[in-house]
Amino acid sequence: MIWPFVRGLLSFYVTMSCASNRRVTSWYDSCSDIQGVLLDISGVLYDSGAGGGVAIPGSVEAVKKLKQSGLSVRFCTNETQCTRDHLVTKLSGLGFQVKRDEVFAPAPAACIVLKDRNLRPHLLIHPGCRPEFEGVDCTNPNCVLIGDATDEFSYKNLNEAFRVLVGLQDPILISMGKGRYYKETDGLTLDVGVFMKALEYACDVEAEVVGKPAKAFFLAALQDMGVQPQHALMVGDDVVNDIGGAQSVGMRGLQVRTGKYRLEDEHHPTVHPDGFVDNLKQAVDLLLQHRGQ
Amino acid sequence: MIWPFVRGLLSFYVTMSCASNRRVTSWYDSCSDIQGVLLDISGVLYDSGAGGGVAIPGSVEAVKKLKQSGLSVRFCTNETQCTRDHLVTKLSGLGFQVKRDEVFAPAPAACIVLKDRNLRPHLLIHPGCRPEFEGVDCTNPNCVLIGDATDEFSYKNLNEAFRVLVGLQDPILISMGKGRYYKETDGLTLDVGVFMKALEYACDVEAEVVGKPAKAFFLAALQDMGVQPQHALMVGDDVVNDIGGAQSVGMRGLQVRTGKYRLEDEHHPTVHPDGFVDNLKQAVDLLLQHRGQ
């Protein structure tokens, strides 16, 4: 059979031409056993920003092809500026085929933690995310829960959260993610992890992270797909939270050179992605080619 | 001579009655060689807050007695919400005898650092502190300098500072202090160190601290008094920045139980004050009694 050989050669040249002067990736040589794929959303599918953001070129088609391939697909996001419903509506508006139940986000995961442990949170979150916490008892708070609150991260609101924490015998700080920054259409933007660190320092506590890179978060998505970690691939733009998190449960992690990607990520001191691709389109093309699809 | 013995006995009972159920301090037994005293301002002289704050009972008289005693006295503050002139005016209004040249504050120290190293700062500081930076070139910034900016620590302003830092080849972050919180009249309030940690995490840099607990800051005040560290005493309410900082240059450090003091400070994992006193008044009374004044 000459065809697989030609196809392999072709994808090699595609990678070389797209990634000129970068190291040649070979993650796809061993991807034939992949059964499920987790996709980060912001920075992989689209860049968020004013007016709803913009799709990253090729991503709409890539998601479509991936779903048609028969592989299991879930979307694993640390998005906490809005509800999953809102996110799905926004993505649909950009042309993506994404269903609510395919999206794993920190707010629903946080609600389970709060209920399990009888916690009443002081919420420092984005107004768009509040509906996810409807029905949660927030009276007489015994913990602080923060998300990507953006403009709500005012000095006044941070002080309020601080005073709740410092007044507790055993302060509990729960953070929906620990990212440093993400890419908006107008540039890099501070993420929730920065304010988590601020409150950690203020109160001398260590936050509990719900969302990526927490192992439980990846495992819940894998369980939903019915796929073992060693047969699953995470595609993300965050070297620590997407790639490092996925690898910590035994998945493979592929970093895209879109979104918040920076050249330094390719020489990260602790996290070594299984591969780099220029964008989601290239990831899906190579994955499907090497699976013979 | 029976009198020194009686006086010693008296001060022992004063301490015991003031510090009932707390461990007995004995720092004053070896204070006869003290030649100079550094006083923190906020939390020791007064509690800041709306309307200019309030003097801590006994502190006005204590400063007066200390200055009359012939000991060298300087005020070592991390105050960066206003200029030294403004601070001195405010303290005078509360009855304190403090001269501008006796006050060591981070902003003038930062100006020297900026000049020495040809740095053009992006300033994230309190509007009241801006006059201290008049004449400093802030065009095309090659570093970020932060102070206790309070309400200026908005998400927008933190993002601006972050984008300057993340755009620099070698990001330099200078922080005027690294305190966690201080006491305002209406409660504990976040200090500059919290936002320093936030930006450190966002950009993966380590800030350079100007002000307490930097050694250079204490040494400058000691040099101005002409007193060797082993003959100097720091009185402060911040166990890490006042006491730890002073001890790191060889001074003794006395913590007051006013201002931001919390019971946990008496069992701090790394800093062990040479003594605790209920307030500045008690510190000065014991010091002068044991020096035979």
Side-chain angles (χ1 to χ4, degrees):
Chain A
M1 291 272 288
I2 189 73
W3 181 229
F5 171 73
V6 172
R7 196 159 47 199
L9 206 64
L10 271 174
S11 72
F12 174 74
Y13 278 107
V14 167
T15 309
M16 284 301 285
S17 62
C18 292
S20 54
N21 296 324
R22 292 166 185 157
R23 73 183 170 87
V24 179
T25 57
S26 59
W27 59 273
Y28 46 78
D29 289 331
S30 57
C31 70
S32 58
D33 61 344
I34 292 293
Q35 298 165 10
V37 180
L38 298 185
L39 300 180
D40 179 28
I41 294 179
S42 178
V44 177
L45 269 55
Y46 83 126
D47 282 325
S48 58
V54 293
I56 292 169
S59 286
V60 169
E61 187 63 22
V63 171
K64 194 175 172 185
K65 279 171 75 174
L66 199 57
K67 289 184 133 188
Q68 284 171 345
S69 74
L71 286 165
S72 293
V73 181
R74 295 292 184 277
F75 301 89
C76 226
T77 179
N78 270 5
E79 172 67 61
T80 55
Q81 284 189 25
C82 61
T83 62
R84 279 185 299 172
D85 284 331
H86 182 91
L87 181 61
V88 165
T89 303
K90 185 162 68 171
L91 291 172
S92 297
L94 295 172
F96 290 101
Q97 295 173 344
V98 179
K99 292 179 200 149
R100 183 181 186 274
D101 289 347
E102 295 167 341
V103 176
F104 283 77
C111 285
I112 294 168
V113 170
L114 295 173
K115 197 175 171 188
D116 283 354
R117 290 164 56 189
N118 240 338
L119 293 172
R120 299 177 306 276
H122 171 91
L123 297 174
L124 179 44
I125 60 174
H126 197 283
C129 192
R130 280 205 178 257
E132 296 277 21
F133 294 91
E134 258 174 29
V136 170
D137 181 9
C138 296
T139 57
N140 188 23
N142 56 6
C143 76
V144 167
L145 187 139
I146 63 171
D148 178 18
T150 67
D151 289 329
E152 294 293 303
F153 282 130
S154 63
Y155 184 67
K156 180 175 166 290
N157 288 348
L158 284 165
N159 247 326
E160 269 181 28
F162 161 67
R163 286 183 180 183
V164 170
L165 281 172
V166 91
L168 296 172
Q169 182 86 28
D170 296 303
I172 297 174
L173 172 61
I174 300 174
S175 184
M176 295 193 287
K178 59 182 274 191
R180 296 171 176 210
Y181 52 81
Y182 50 89
K183 193 183 170 205
E184 294 261 273
T185 44
D186 70 339
L188 296 180
T189 301
L190 292 174
D191 199 359
V192 61
V194 171
F195 300 92
M196 176 194 86
K197 282 288 164 191
L199 289 173
E200 280 188 341
Y201 180 70
C203 308
D204 200 14
V205 294
E206 191 173 342
E208 301 173 28
V209 177
V210 175
K212 297 178 286 188
K215 289 183 182 183
F217 195 64
F218 289 98
L219 293 175
L222 288 171
Q223 189 178 22
D224 192 59
M225 292 197 291
V227 171
Q228 294 297 310
Q230 64 272 26
H231 299 307
L233 179 70
M234 172 81 207
V235 185
D237 66 333
D238 186 317
V239 66
V240 171
N241 294 294
D242 293 330
I243 313 305
Q247 289 176 334
S248 76
V249 297
M251 295 175 61
R252 275 165 271 181
L254 196 57
Q255 187 170 7
V256 289
R257 295 191 182 101
T258 53
K260 79 179 77 173
Y261 162 85
R262 301 176 76 203
L263 194 56
E264 303 93 281
D265 295 345
E266 306 210 16
H267 311 284
H268 194 274
T270 57
V271 181
H272 308 291
D274 294 276
F276 290 90
V277 283
D278 281 353
N279 47 46
L280 180 61
K281 179 186 184 313
Q282 192 184 39
V284 171
D285 285 348
L286 287 171
L287 176 65
L288 298 186
Q289 281 165 22
H290 284 263
R291 284 176 48 85
Q293 291 175 305
Chain B
M1 290 271 288
I2 190 72
W3 181 229
F5 170 73
V6 172
R7 195 160 48 197
L9 205 64
L10 271 175
S11 70
F12 173 75
Y13 278 108
V14 166
T15 308
M16 284 300 284
S17 61
C18 293
S20 55
N21 298 322
R22 292 166 185 158
R23 74 181 172 87
V24 179
T25 56
S26 58
W27 59 273
Y28 46 79
D29 289 330
S30 57
C31 70
S32 58
D33 61 345
I34 292 293
Q35 298 166 9
V37 179
L38 298 185
L39 300 181
D40 180 28
I41 293 179
S42 178
V44 176
L45 269 55
Y46 83 125
D47 283 324
S48 58
V54 292
I56 291 169
S59 285
V60 169
E61 186 63 22
V63 170
K64 193 174 172 185
K65 279 171 75 174
L66 199 57
K67 288 183 133 185
Q68 284 171 345
S69 74
L71 286 165
S72 292
V73 181
R74 295 292 184 276
F75 301 88
C76 225
T77 179
N78 270 5
E79 172 66 62
T80 55
Q81 284 189 26
C82 61
T83 61
R84 278 185 299 174
D85 284 331
H86 181 91
L87 181 61
V88 165
T89 304
K90 185 161 67 172
L91 291 172
S92 298
L94 294 173
F96 290 101
Q97 294 173 347
V98 179
K99 292 179 200 150
R100 184 181 185 274
D101 290 348
E102 295 167 340
V103 176
F104 283 77
C111 285
I112 293 168
V113 171
L114 295 172
K115 196 174 173 187
D116 283 354
R117 290 163 55 188
N118 239 338
L119 292 172
R120 301 177 305 277
H122 170 91
L123 298 174
L124 178 45
I125 60 173
H126 197 284
C129 191
R130 280 205 178 256
E132 296 277 21
F133 293 90
E134 259 175 26
V136 171
D137 181 8
C138 297
T139 57
N140 189 22
N142 56 6
C143 76
V144 166
L145 186 139
I146 63 172
D148 178 18
T150 67
D151 288 328
E152 293 293 304
F153 282 130
S154 64
Y155 185 67
K156 180 175 167 290
N157 288 348
L158 284 164
N159 247 326
E160 268 181 30
F162 161 67
R163 287 183 180 182
V164 169
L165 281 172
V166 90
L168 296 172
Q169 183 86 29
D170 296 304
I172 298 174
L173 172 62
I174 300 173
S175 184
M176 294 193 287
K178 59 181 274 191
R180 296 173 177 209
Y181 52 81
Y182 50 88
K183 193 181 171 208
E184 293 262 271
T185 44
D186 70 339
L188 296 180
T189 300
L190 293 173
D191 198 0
V192 62
V194 171
F195 300 92
M196 175 194 88
K197 282 287 165 189
L199 290 172
E200 281 188 341
Y201 179 70
C203 308
D204 200 16
V205 294
E206 192 173 344
E208 302 173 27
V209 177
V210 176
K212 297 178 286 188
K215 289 183 181 182
F217 194 65
F218 290 98
L219 293 174
L222 288 171
Q223 189 178 22
D224 191 60
M225 291 198 291
V227 171
Q228 293 297 309
Q230 66 271 27
H231 298 305
L233 179 70
M234 172 80 208
V235 184
D237 66 335
D238 187 318
V239 66
V240 171
N241 294 295
D242 292 331
I243 312 304
Q247 289 176 335
S248 77
V249 298
M251 295 176 62
R252 275 165 273 182
L254 196 57
Q255 188 171 5
V256 288
R257 295 191 181 101
T258 54
K260 79 178 80 173
Y261 162 84
R262 301 177 76 203
L263 194 56
E264 303 92 282
D265 295 346
E266 306 209 16
H267 311 283
H268 194 275
T270 56
V271 182
H272 308 291
D274 294 276
F276 290 90
V277 283
D278 281 353
N279 48 44
L280 181 62
K281 178 185 183 316
Q282 192 185 39
V284 171
D285 285 348
L286 287 171
L287 175 66
L288 298 186
Q289 279 164 25
H290 284 263
R291 285 176 50 83
Q293 289 174 308

